[in-house]
Amino acid sequence: MQHLADEQRRIRLGRRHRLAPSARADSVVAVADAVLALHATDPATVFLSACARLSQPGIAPVEQALYEDVSLVRLLSMRNTLFTVSRELAPYVDASNARAVAAKERRTLLKYLAEDGNGLDEQWLTLTERETLAALAARGRATGSELSAAVPALRTKITVFPGKKYEAVQGVASRVLRILAAERHIRRDRPRGSWTSSQFRWTPSAPWGPLDPAEARTELALRWLRSYGPATEADLTWWTGWGLGQVRKALAAAGAEEVRLDGSTGWVAPGDSSPEPALEPWAALLPGLDPSAMGWADRSFHLASEHRAALFDRSGNIGPTVWWNGRIVGGWAQRADGEPVWRLLSDVGRDATVALEAEVSRLAEWVGGTRITPRFRTPLERELSA
């Protein structure tokens, strides 16, 4: 059984995630395929993650891929989280994860409607969805508030968790739109504000064609191994949100090969167990929830345990990170005037400092005067931004 040490894993990360200067991509789609899926819960993450890996970073090419070419697609998928993936990969993510998420979202809303006690049911929801789709088709694109103005049923309010301490009154519009988007009847278009805004307009779309979920899980597992392997069953289980049985079947069907890691057993894609040559030194400033920080359940090969308290929030979301040669060595933020500021948590030497200063300048140049506040704020990010 081949042994792939942590140093080899760090070399692969830098090259395959296009973080090393010689590996940086010329297209946003190439970036998305390299890391498989870009976290999109925070809209700014898609831009920051992509531009950290582009040879020529900029807002325009990312917007072109998202809204003009639609070569990047947002899906509510793995772990009930919003991701952005390439259009070519999207049907596999849909069949392996997003369909189940959409079904759960529909069941949840129907449960809330039934508990509300106002006679709202599945028939009411179906009619509301039809009216919403018709209103959107007539306009071409619209915000949630514009659709609510056109469809009175979207202005309906219901009581969720009635009789409990956390009882609350909520509007149904966001939940109805979330279901329609999860089922791919609509998609997010350009936001009302800047590229950091989450106030999206909506536009009509169409569901993906039929694809067997088991086949889709096999394909997704294979691609994940190519980007994140060697990795463990626990890593893939965490990343996908699948059950352990589904993970094992997908790995077997993909022909995954077993390897020894430092302290555990891992898996690689077929024929991918050979060591890789050393990589030139590289530095990177990655955003909160970046895929390179979120790709594994066990991050010990690139993150020292003593850094976790400063870099994670209480829910386990990682904030903006500073990387040197495959390791997380610090964090970064922006001051109120937009100036990037960073701090090392490890002693990495003069060469690393010079390389990181160049990355800070690179980031500041394409971000310009835009002020970015991560959706999930961490202790070090809060301290630096203040």
Side-chain angles (χ1 to χ4, degrees):
M1 188 189 301
Q2 181 71 38
H3 177 232
L4 291 173
D6 286 349
E7 181 59 30
Q8 272 292 309
R9 299 181 74 183
R10 291 189 286 268
I11 291 172
R12 288 176 176 227
L13 188 157
R15 180 176 288 119
R16 297 186 181 188
H17 286 215
R18 296 193 176 270
L19 291 166
S22 62
R24 284 177 177 156
D26 293 327
S27 79
V28 182
V29 174
V31 169
D33 283 339
V35 297
L36 211 58
L38 298 164
H39 279 258
T41 304
D42 187 340
T45 298
V46 176
F47 289 81
L48 292 165
S49 291
C51 288
R53 297 166 168 86
L54 285 172
S55 56
Q56 299 293 325
I59 297 165
V62 183
E63 290 185 324
Q64 178 77 25
L66 285 169
Y67 308 123
E68 303 300 329
D69 303 336
V70 197
S71 52
L72 293 184
V73 179
R74 288 186 174 95
L75 291 94
L76 190 64
S77 50
M78 285 74 72
R79 305 188 313 282
N80 204 28
T81 299
L82 192 63
F83 284 90
T84 294
V85 302
S86 69
R87 183 170 55 203
E88 192 269 337
L89 181 64
Y92 297 100
V93 174
D94 174 69
S96 64
N97 287 80
R99 289 182 201 168
V101 171
K104 183 179 179 181
E105 290 288 326
R106 181 172 291 279
R107 289 194 303 271
T108 298
L109 179 53
L110 287 172
K111 175 176 178 289
Y112 289 159
L113 293 177
E115 292 174 346
D116 186 61
N118 284 327
L120 305 179
D121 55 13
E122 187 170 4
Q123 184 177 357
W124 177 90
L125 178 56
T126 299
L127 180 59
T128 301
E129 290 174 324
R130 288 175 182 170
E131 292 175 351
T132 301
L133 292 174
L136 185 57
R139 288 161 176 77
R141 64 176 186 167
T143 63
S145 59
E146 289 168 342
L147 289 171
S148 292
V151 181
L154 289 177
R155 301 197 293 273
T156 301
K157 294 186 181 299
I158 59 174
T159 300
V160 297
F161 306 113
K164 295 184 170 59
K165 290 189 301 182
Y166 40 89
E167 175 182 310
V169 176
Q170 297 180 354
V172 302
S174 61
R175 290 187 178 276
V176 172
L177 294 174
R178 184 179 175 92
I179 291 170
L180 291 174
E183 294 177 348
R184 191 60 183 173
H185 296 295
I186 64 177
R187 64 173 176 83
R188 291 166 178 81
D189 201 36
R190 287 185 181 273
R192 292 184 63 183
S194 73
W195 55 275
T196 65
S197 172
S198 59
Q199 296 183 13
F200 291 102
R201 296 177 175 90
W202 298 96
T203 194
S205 187
W208 305 107
L211 184 63
D212 177 64
E215 178 186 341
R217 285 192 292 270
T218 298
E219 181 65 20
L220 189 61
L222 179 60
R223 296 191 188 209
W224 184 84
L225 285 174
R226 290 171 179 165
S227 294
Y228 294 89
T232 66
E233 287 181 349
D235 292 327
L236 183 55
T237 301
W238 179 85
W239 191 87
T240 58
W242 301 338
L244 181 58
Q246 291 176 319
V247 165
R248 288 176 172 170
K249 287 180 181 178
L251 288 173
E257 298 176 1
E258 192 173 354
V259 294
R260 288 200 316 274
L261 305 178
D262 291 347
S264 62
T265 298
W267 300 88
V268 295
D272 192 31
S273 59
S274 299
E276 297 197 29
L279 197 61
E280 76 271 28
W282 59 271
L285 269 65
L286 301 182
L289 299 180
D290 185 85
S292 291
M294 297 290 289
W296 300 267
D298 180 6
R299 304 176 177 97
S300 59
F301 76 97
H302 66 65
L303 173 65
S305 59
E306 60 266 26
H307 298 341
R308 292 187 64 92
L311 296 172
F312 285 78
D313 72 4
R314 292 180 180 178
S315 299
N317 300 302
I318 195 166
T321 49
V322 172
W323 292 67
W324 175 245
N325 279 346
R327 292 183 175 90
I328 297 176
V329 296
W332 66 276
Q334 281 181 304
R335 294 196 173 103
D337 61 1
E339 177 189 358
V341 57
W342 53 290
R343 179 183 299 166
L344 290 174
L345 299 175
S346 301
D347 183 5
V348 292
R350 177 61 182 165
D351 290 345
T353 301
V354 171
L356 286 165
E357 287 172 346
E359 286 300 304
V360 171
S361 297
R362 185 174 182 264
L363 173 69
E365 182 177 355
W366 76 261
V367 167
T370 302
R371 176 74 168 87
I372 304 162
T373 302
R375 179 165 297 185
F376 304 105
R377 306 198 68 185
T378 55
L380 183 56
E381 187 275 329
R382 287 181 182 275
E383 182 181 345
L384 292 174
S385 63

